[in-house]
């Protein structure tokens, strides 16, 4: 336009206009470069632990230590599928004078586990909108993590699950008259026994066991350690996407619903789960033990190098209830478990499309109902 005015309309006016535009361009460039060193960025997340469905707010806060107004600032973020982003992943704003401003991203916690939010880049554009510069993010935390708690479903898992596992382990349903004396997990809670000695309360005599052995046997007060059901979480490493996280949530929450159901029936249990490559166990005796497990699994990340089966279970080779998030096309871990522990009950998610790999395989629906496959 300036050149058109110079050569067609008026040369003097055209040259003045050209000089003004060049000066404006240089001034805009110089001031923008100066501002790059006066702007400080601080990402802030409103919390670091969320329940599913909670709102997460990410504020990208800018502070300008100089007197010049900052031109346009553009921020782009990316988040793991544990969060659902509301709106665009890129926002633009500005900071006027010596002040502060922020760009706000709203997200919703959707899947349990360790969630990530990363700042992909921060761009500053000059006043004329011609030059763009990447704002250096050295010294600031560009990736934030948060824990998303799995739900504890308030549903009662069918007792068919427990009955089926009982048939596999060969354990009896009668706790009061159980003659179980082994300290190895057998599936149902039993009591240890010893021979009757004078002074023992008569009510502790196990008459059924005594009649079998022709000697009075007394049931001890304490149940056999670890004599409850043995459960295991098989959560193999997989690409974290909507499908895999949906299956994993269903399996984890189904396991906790089962633990609650067992507690309601007065049955204790032990759950094995792998965290950060190490197998851990949780004894579930009270409702608060389930809440402690919920917190433990809130920042879960699957590990590729972890053993498929806890070494302790391999040594005992007892019947196990295994909740697996293995999916069709990647069922190696579940098949390995069945190969090493043939009496294992496999519980998968309907959404996993896992093929039938054992006669004792069950599928878990979204409503946490169990159906034999």
């Amino acid at each position: 336009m300036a050149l058109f005015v110079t050569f067609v309309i008026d040369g003097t006016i055209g040259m003045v206009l050209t000089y003004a535009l060049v000066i404006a361009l240089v001034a805009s460039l110089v001031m923008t470069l100066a501002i790059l060193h006066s702007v400080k960025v601080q990402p802030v997340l409103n919390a670091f632990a969320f329940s599913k469905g909670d709102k997460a707010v990410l504020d990208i806060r800018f502070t300008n230590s100089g007197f010049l107004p900052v031109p346009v600032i553009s921020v782009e973020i990316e988040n793991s599928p544990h969060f659902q982003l509301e709106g665009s992943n890129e926002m633009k704003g500005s900071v006027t004078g010596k002040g502060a401003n922020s760009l706000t991203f709203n997200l919703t916690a959707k899947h349990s586990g360790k969630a990530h939010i990363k700042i992909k880049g921060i761009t500053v554009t000059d006043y004329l909108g011609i030059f763009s510069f990447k704002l250096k993010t050295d010294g600031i935390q560009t990736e934030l993590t948060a824990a998303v708690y799995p739900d504890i479903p308030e549903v009662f898992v069918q007792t068919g699950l427990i009955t089926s596992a009982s048939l596999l382990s060969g354990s009896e349903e009668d706790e009061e008259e159980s003659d179980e004396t082994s300290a190895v997990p057998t599936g149902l809670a039993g009591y240890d026994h010893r021979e009757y000695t004078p002074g023992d309360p008569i009510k502790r005599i196990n008459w059924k066991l005594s009649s079998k052995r022709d000697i009075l046997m007394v049931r001890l007060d304490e149940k056999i350690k670890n004599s409850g059901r043995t459960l295991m979480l098989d959560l193999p490493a997989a690409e974290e996407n909507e499908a895999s996280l949906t299956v994993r949530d269903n399996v984890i929450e189904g396991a906790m619903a089962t633990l609650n159901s067992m507690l309601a029936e007065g049955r204790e249990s032990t759950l094995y789960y792998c965290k950060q490559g190490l197998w851990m166990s949780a004894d579930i005796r009270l409702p608060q033990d389930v809440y402690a497990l919920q917190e433990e699994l809130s920042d879960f990340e699957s590990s590729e190098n972890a053993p498929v089966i806890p070494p302790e279970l391999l040594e005992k080779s007892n019947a196990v209830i295994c909740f697996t998030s293995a999916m069709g096309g990647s069922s190696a871990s579940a098949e390995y478990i069945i190969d090493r522990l043939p009496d294992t009950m496999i519980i998968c998610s309907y959404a996993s499309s896992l093929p039938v790999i054992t006669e004792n395989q069950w599928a878990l629906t979204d409503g946490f109902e169990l159906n034999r496959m």
Side-chain angles (χ1 to χ4, degrees):
M1 290 294 293
L3 293 176
F4 177 79
V5 170
T6 301
F7 292 103
V8 176
I9 301 177
D10 190 308
T12 303
I13 296 177
M15 290 303 297
V16 171
L17 183 59
T18 301
Y19 292 148
L21 289 174
V22 171
I23 293 172
L25 181 64
V26 173
S28 177
L29 177 61
V30 171
M31 287 190 292
T32 302
L33 291 174
I35 286 169
L36 290 178
H37 302 284
S38 65
V39 176
K40 304 298 179 184
V41 182
Q42 181 184 12
V44 177
L45 193 63
N46 64 324
F48 291 98
F50 301 90
S51 297
K52 292 171 68 173
D54 284 353
K55 300 295 182 181
V57 179
L58 174 65
D59 279 330
I60 310 296
R61 299 176 181 176
F62 301 96
T63 304
N64 182 14
S65 59
F67 63 91
L68 293 173
V70 177
V72 178
I73 297 179
S74 176
V75 179
E76 184 180 4
I77 69 168
E78 65 178 7
N79 57 280
S80 63
H82 300 83
F83 283 121
Q84 182 175 355
L85 179 64
E86 300 176 6
S88 173
N89 68 330
E90 184 176 3
M91 296 189 70
K92 297 180 180 181
S94 182
V95 183
T96 57
K98 283 190 174 182
N101 196 7
S102 65
L103 297 177
T104 301
F105 295 88
N106 295 304
L107 307 99
T108 303
K110 189 174 183 182
H111 296 291
S112 66
K114 192 172 185 179
H116 301 264
I117 304 176
K118 182 179 180 181
I119 299 176
K120 289 186 65 176
I122 302 176
T123 304
V124 177
T125 305
D126 75 312
Y127 299 97
L128 299 181
I130 298 177
F131 302 105
S132 294
F133 302 93
K134 290 286 186 181
L135 191 65
K136 291 184 178 181
T137 55
D138 300 339
I140 71 169
Q141 188 177 4
T142 57
E143 185 168 356
L144 304 175
T145 60
V148 181
Y149 284 70
D151 290 336
I152 301 180
E154 296 182 0
V155 296
F156 188 78
V157 177
Q158 303 99 307
T159 55
L161 163 74
I162 300 172
T163 303
S164 177
S166 299
L167 294 175
L168 286 176
S169 62
S171 60
E172 297 183 15
E173 291 291 339
D174 188 357
E175 282 190 15
E176 291 298 323
E177 298 296 333
S178 171
D179 57 0
E180 179 60 60
T181 59
S182 170
V184 178
T186 59
L188 287 174
Y191 293 87
D192 204 357
H193 295 79
R194 62 170 172 78
E195 188 176 344
Y196 173 84
T197 57
D200 288 334
I202 299 298
K203 65 180 181 180
R204 291 186 187 170
I205 296 177
N206 188 329
W207 297 104
K208 181 178 179 181
L209 181 60
S210 298
S211 65
K212 291 180 180 180
R213 299 191 179 183
D214 292 326
I215 188 173
L216 292 178
M217 299 296 294
V218 177
R219 189 184 68 195
L220 301 183
D221 284 338
E222 294 184 359
K223 293 181 180 179
I224 299 171
K225 184 179 180 182
N226 291 330
S227 63
R229 282 292 179 202
T230 301
L231 290 81
M232 168 185 163
L233 278 175
D234 171 42
L235 306 174
E239 180 185 355
E240 291 189 337
N241 52 39
E242 181 68 23
S244 64
L245 290 180
T246 297
V247 168
R248 196 172 79 185
D249 277 356
N250 186 233
V251 166
I252 290 175
E253 293 167 5
M256 290 198 289
T258 302
L259 294 173
N260 266 340
S261 297
M262 290 182 176
L263 283 178
E265 294 182 351
R267 305 179 189 275
E268 298 176 359
S269 54
T270 300
L271 176 74
Y272 288 86
Y273 62 96
C274 188
K275 187 175 181 180
Q276 296 178 349
L278 299 175
W279 278 100
M280 308 176 73
S281 63
D283 293 327
I284 309 299
R285 299 187 176 94
L286 299 168
Q288 47 264 44
D289 295 331
V290 181
Y291 293 112
L293 177 63
Q294 179 192 35
E295 184 172 357
E296 279 291 310
L297 295 174
S298 64
D299 59 348
F300 176 83
E301 280 186 309
S302 57
S303 174
E304 296 183 355
N305 301 320
V308 178
I309 302 175
E312 185 176 348
L313 291 185
L314 283 175
E315 295 173 1
K316 295 175 180 177
S317 299
N318 60 304
V320 178
I321 301 174
C322 176
F323 288 81
T324 179
S325 63
M327 303 178 68
S330 58
S331 58
S333 63
E335 293 174 356
Y336 179 80
I337 292 169
I338 289 297
D339 181 60
R340 297 300 302 273
L341 301 174
D343 290 338
T344 297
M345 168 184 285
I346 291 290
I347 299 177
C348 61
S349 171
Y350 260 122
S352 68
S353 300
L354 184 70
V356 178
I357 58 176
T358 176
E359 293 181 356
N360 199 28
Q361 184 168 332
W362 297 65
L364 193 65
T365 67
D366 292 340
F368 305 103
E369 295 180 355
L370 285 166
N371 295 303
R372 186 185 289 273
M373 296 181 66

